């Protein structure tokens, strides 16, 4: 069968793998590019959507699902196979994207709300570990990827081969979602490499750094801004803040979650508490709401940043987007980046070419919503809250795939440097053949 890569190939965003068997053509993910050439890259598919039979969706991050409505807009009529939490979260994420497109003046929208609803009509949810024939020659099984709620690894059985698509692999340290499931064997493996070159600091050191940032800001009467992804990072940071408060490790300080999308997704999380990892599940079972505490305000109304900023005293603001590329965080950055008593804490991966990446790399002046802003606030990055496995965790996960060991490992979803570093490590430690693919090549497996 033929394999080609239409995104997340020697880069992180735009996940989309096309598999062509004798009888079937399908995609694994159909995500949006989120770098500086975004619009151009998102606008054109390098295949005909009418030819695709179905899509396997690993999870609801927009760089994995963000172009699915566009597929339908351009003639795709098949199903999207996914888990139930992914179905609900992806619908919220895609409706939000359609809204964001309408606000953009430079480009026409990639798709509209009606295209999202057409797509979600074809979302077909499946449970983990149940096999399903999805075409005359393709059988699939979903395993928990432990990355965000509902994320899955796809096991695909076709032409006598077992092929594994990791999607994004979770970080074992995450307290809410479970750890990635072990896969027993594979003929061919596709694995992500976002952190293929690096190790995360321990979650405990991240907690210490977060507490320290909060305590410093409280001492200075300043503002701690934490740009967050609406999915997973928002819920995890709230979970951590609550546990600091319960243990008396930080003073009580107002916390604002200024993201309607994050609020909606938090509600979806609550409704799937049964599938949480042990610690979070036990707390919810005891009747404790892990996503609520005194002092936490969910901000639903728009344009509240001025009002919130005007509230006297120290405060913590969580707002999207996680890479500062849009959303409500912009209003706070403009207001508070220029003051040295404030802090900006980046707790997510920052893609090359984004405002968040410039800030992480120490830019002294940045442009936020066409406004020049001097950076005097302290800026720091924490990688230990990542929802991705780091190099060691990826290697350990791949090493468990033994019966049989994969003959080929395709390394995707990582900047070139990360992909190549992971390739070297997998060859060295596990003695497996690896390919870091190119987007203009077709591979035969
Ligand atoms: Zn992801």
């Amino acid at each position: 069968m033929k394999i080609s890569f239409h995104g997340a190939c020697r880069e992180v965003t735009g996940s989309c793998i096309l598999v062509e068997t004798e009888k079937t053509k399908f995609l694994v993910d159909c995500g949006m590019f989120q770098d500086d050439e975004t619009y151009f890259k998102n606008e054109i598919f390098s295949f005909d959507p009418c030819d695709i039979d179905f899509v396997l969706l690993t999870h609801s991050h927009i760089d994995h699902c963000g172009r699915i409505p566009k597929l339908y807009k351009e003639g795709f009529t098949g199903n999207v196979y996914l888990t139930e939490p992914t179905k609900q979260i992806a619908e919220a994420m895609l409706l939000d994207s359609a809204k964001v497109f309408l606000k953009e003046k430079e480009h026409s929208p990639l798709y509209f709300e009606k295209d999202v609803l057409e797509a979600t009509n074809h979302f077909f949810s499946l449970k983990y570990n149940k096999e399903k024939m999805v075409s005359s020659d393709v059988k699939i099984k979903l395993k928990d990827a432990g990355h965000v709620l509902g994320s899955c690894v796809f096991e695909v059985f076709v032409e006598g081969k077992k092929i594994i698509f990791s999607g994004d692999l979770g970080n074992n340290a995450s307290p809410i979602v479970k750890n990635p499931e072990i896969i027993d064997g594979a003929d061919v493996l596709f694995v992500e490499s976002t952190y293929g070159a690096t190790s995360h600091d321990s979650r405990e050191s991240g907690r210490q750094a977060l507490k320290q940032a909060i305590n410093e800001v409280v001492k200075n009467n300043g503002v701690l801004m934490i740009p967050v992804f609406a999915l997973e990072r928002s819920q995890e940071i709230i979970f951590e803040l609550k546990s600091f408060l319960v243990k008396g490790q930080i003073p009580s300080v107002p916390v604002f979650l200024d993201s309607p999308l994050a609020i909606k997704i938090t509600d979806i999380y609550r409704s799937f508490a049964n599938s949480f990892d042990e610690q979070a599940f036990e707390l919810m079972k005891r009747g404790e709401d892990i996503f609520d505490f005194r002092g936490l305000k969910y901000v639903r109304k728009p344009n509240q940043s001025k009002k919130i900023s005007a509230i006297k005293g120290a405060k913590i603001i969580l707002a999207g987007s996680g890479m500062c590329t849009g959303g409500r965080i912009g209003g706070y950055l403009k207001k508070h980046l220029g003051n040295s008593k404030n802090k900006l804490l980046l707790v997510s991966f920052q893609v090359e070419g984004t405002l968040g990446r410039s800030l992480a790399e120490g830019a002294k002046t940045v442009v936020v919503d066409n406004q020049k802003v001097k950076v005097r606030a302290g800026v720091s990055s924490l990688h230990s809250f990542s929802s991705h496995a780091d190099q060691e965790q990826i290697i350990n996960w791949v090493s468990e795939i033994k019966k049989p060991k994969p003959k080929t490992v395709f390394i995707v979803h990582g900047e070139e440097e990360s992909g190549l570093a992971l390739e070297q490590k997998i060859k060295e430690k596990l003695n497996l053949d690896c390919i870091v693919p190119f987007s203009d090549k077709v591979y035969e497996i």
Side-chain angles (χ1 to χ4, degrees):
M1 75 199 86
K2 288 187 184 122
I3 308 285
S4 51
F5 299 86
H6 301 267
C9 192
R10 295 184 179 238
E11 63 187 326
V12 173
T13 64
S15 276
C16 187
I17 302 173
L18 171 62
V19 182
E20 299 172 76
T21 76
E22 292 266 294
K23 299 174 182 164
T24 311
K25 284 186 185 179
F26 66 93
L27 297 178
V28 180
D29 293 336
C30 188
M32 217 188 272
F33 293 94
Q34 293 174 299
D35 55 26
D36 42 4
E37 295 161 54
T38 291
Y39 187 78
F40 172 72
K41 285 159 88 177
N42 283 329
E43 207 190 7
I44 299 157
F45 284 123
S46 37
F47 49 83
D48 185 350
C50 299
D51 291 345
I52 304 299
D53 294 294
F54 58 85
V55 176
L56 306 180
L57 179 57
T58 60
H59 66 289
S60 48
H61 272 143
I62 218 71
D63 64 318
H64 291 257
C65 71
R67 288 200 292 166
I68 287 176
K70 188 173 160 61
L71 278 181
Y72 287 92
K73 195 173 163 225
E74 295 184 15
F76 170 59
T77 56
N79 282 340
V80 176
Y81 296 100
L82 70 186
T83 65
E84 184 60 29
T86 299
K87 179 178 171 176
Q88 296 186 22
I89 298 168
E91 178 170 359
M93 303 277 276
L94 294 169
L95 286 171
D96 186 72
S97 278
K99 239 190 243 170
V100 171
F101 294 149
L102 289 179
K103 286 186 203 152
E104 280 172 12
K105 297 201 173 66
E106 261 175 71
H107 306 292
S108 54
L110 279 181
Y111 48 81
F112 298 93
E113 191 181 301
K114 68 174 173 51
D115 304 308
V116 175
L117 298 175
E118 176 61 28
T120 55
N121 265 336
H122 290 84
F123 280 6
F124 192 105
S125 63
L126 296 169
K127 289 198 177 351
Y128 291 124
N129 288 305
K130 289 251 162 49
E131 288 183 353
K132 164 101 182 152
M133 283 303 293
V134 286
S135 72
S136 61
D137 62 341
V138 180
K139 188 169 72 180
I140 59 170
K141 191 154 100 179
L142 288 64
K143 297 270 184 180
D144 196 338
H147 168 59
V148 296
L149 187 70
S151 61
C152 73
V153 172
F154 277 100
E155 296 188 340
V156 176
F157 303 86
V158 58
E159 294 184 356
K161 289 189 172 77
K162 181 178 173 188
I163 307 170
I164 304 294
F165 296 93
S166 77
D168 288 357
L169 273 184
N171 179 351
N172 291 340
S174 298
I176 303 173
V177 289
K178 291 182 177 166
N179 292 350
E181 268 188 270
I182 301 294
I183 306 294
D184 50 9
D187 295 300
V188 181
L189 168 67
F190 294 77
V191 69
E192 69 124 328
S193 58
T194 316
Y195 287 97
T198 49
S199 341
H200 298 322
D201 296 332
S202 72
R203 181 59 65 108
E204 201 39 51
S205 71
R207 289 190 181 108
Q208 293 304 335
L210 178 56
K211 279 185 265 186
Q212 197 185 339
I214 295 168
N215 287 319
E216 277 173 27
V217 155
V218 170
K219 204 173 84 193
N220 295 340
N221 231 1
V223 180
L224 176 62
M225 296 171 282
I226 311 181
V228 282
F229 292 130
L231 169 56
E232 190 72 24
R233 201 59 33 84
S234 299
Q235 291 78 31
E236 283 207 13
I237 297 292
I238 288 171
F239 177 88
E240 298 291 357
L241 294 178
K242 177 162 183 170
S243 74
F244 297 163
L245 276 168
V246 169
K247 292 177 195 151
Q249 294 168 338
I250 54 167
S252 183
V253 54
V255 179
F256 299 91
L257 176 63
D258 192 357
S259 163
L261 181 59
I263 295 168
K264 201 167 178 184
I265 292 172
T266 304
D267 286 338
I268 299 174
Y269 264 64
R270 275 195 193 94
S271 69
F272 287 99
N274 281 344
S275 48
F276 288 175
D277 210 1
E278 233 167 288
Q279 193 193 358
F281 172 69
E282 282 304 321
L283 289 168
M284 292 293 272
K285 210 170 80 180
R286 285 210 311 253
E288 228 178 277
D289 185 349
I290 60 171
F291 304 119
D292 198 18
F293 54 84
R294 206 152 59 91
L296 172 63
K297 293 198 175 52
Y298 286 100
V299 184
R300 290 184 166 84
K301 281 196 226 157
N303 306 321
Q304 300 294 297
S305 71
K306 279 202 180 112
K307 228 168 157 183
I308 292 167
S309 294
I311 296 170
K312 286 212 165 68
K315 52 191 140 319
I316 301 171
I317 292 160
L318 311 175
S321 72
M323 299 187 227
C324 308
T325 45
R328 296 185 178 182
I329 194 72
Y332 298 104
L333 294 173
K334 282 187 276 186
K335 177 86 183 154
H336 302 297
L337 268 183
N339 191 329
S340 62
K341 67 180 188 177
N342 301 328
K343 270 186 179 301
L344 173 72
L345 200 55
L346 298 161
V347 292
S348 306
F349 187 82
Q350 306 294 323
V351 170
E352 268 180 343
T354 60
L355 173 57
R357 181 72 163 246
S358 311
L359 286 160
E361 287 173 350
K364 293 280 172 260
T365 310
V366 290
V367 178
V368 186
D369 301 335
N370 300 321
Q371 188 183 315
K372 237 182 183 182
V373 182
K374 280 218 153 54
V375 184
R376 295 193 188 91
V379 178
S380 42
S381 303
L382 290 179
H383 296 298
S384 53
F385 288 101
S386 172
S387 51
H388 287 268
D390 65 3
Q391 188 191 63
E392 195 186 339
Q393 289 175 352
I394 300 172
I395 297 282
N396 287 341
W397 184 80
V398 175
S399 73
E400 297 286 346
I401 308 175
K402 288 179 189 153
K403 294 176 201 162
K405 282 186 178 185
K407 283 175 208 65
T408 312
V409 180
F410 285 93
I411 299 172
V412 294
H413 197 290
E415 286 171 8
E416 194 160 49
E417 191 187 311
S418 307
L420 296 174
L422 187 63
E423 174 186 36
Q424 203 188 347
K425 263 292 185 271
I426 292 180
K427 280 182 176 165
E428 196 181 292
K429 292 217 161 181
L430 308 174
N431 199 22
L432 299 174
D433 281 340
C434 297
I435 296 174
V436 183
F438 290 93
S439 55
D440 56 355
K441 267 182 89 172
V442 177
Y443 297 82
E444 191 77 43
I445 61 169

